[in-house]
Amino acid sequence: MPAMTYAQVEETVLKTLRPASLKYWAVVSLLFIGILIGAGCWAYQIAIGIGVGGHNIPVVWGTYLINFVFWVGIAHSGTLISAILYLFRAGWRNPLPALQRP
């Protein structure tokens, strides 16, 4: 991968200051609607009970606990992998290639 110049890095960083496109706001709106639907489902489950999720056996609530622990483990693995790459000084983990001096 060729090294980037300061001008290329500056151009890339300044692109983030441009106004967002209509496509971006459409995706944000769609994701926000998904969050509202999820919050509504959660509120419905809190109001009615855990049976709305199909869990009618008294100990099935453990499914939610297992799911939570699984995703916390996935999140921690990302930190572990990052730490291992740092300890072994993996050069390809750097976010930007080396800059060329003008």
Side-chain angles (χ1 to χ4, degrees):
M1 175 181 244
M4 295 177 72
T5 64
Y6 283 107
Q8 290 171 323
V9 172
E10 185 175 334
E11 173 76 23
T12 303
V13 171
L14 289 177
K15 282 182 185 178
T16 62
L17 298 176
R18 294 183 183 148
S21 66
L22 185 60
K23 181 180 176 183
Y24 170 81
W25 288 113
V27 170
V28 168
S29 299
L30 187 65
L31 293 173
F32 186 68
I33 289 170
I35 289 172
L36 289 178
I37 291 172
C41 291
W42 178 73
Y44 181 71
Q45 179 174 330
I46 295 297
I48 303 299
I50 203 166
V52 297
H55 302 304
N56 296 320
I57 304 170
V59 294
V60 181
W61 59 267
T63 304
Y64 293 109
L65 182 64
I66 292 167
N67 198 10
F68 173 76
V69 171
F70 172 79
W71 287 111
V72 167
I74 294 292
H76 280 71
S77 69
T79 305
L80 177 67
I81 290 169
S82 180
I84 290 170
L85 290 175
Y86 177 76
L87 289 174
F88 286 105
R89 305 286 190 248
W92 49 268
R93 71 173 180 78
N94 295 332
L96 290 175
L99 297 174
Q100 292 178 346
R101 298 258 177 213

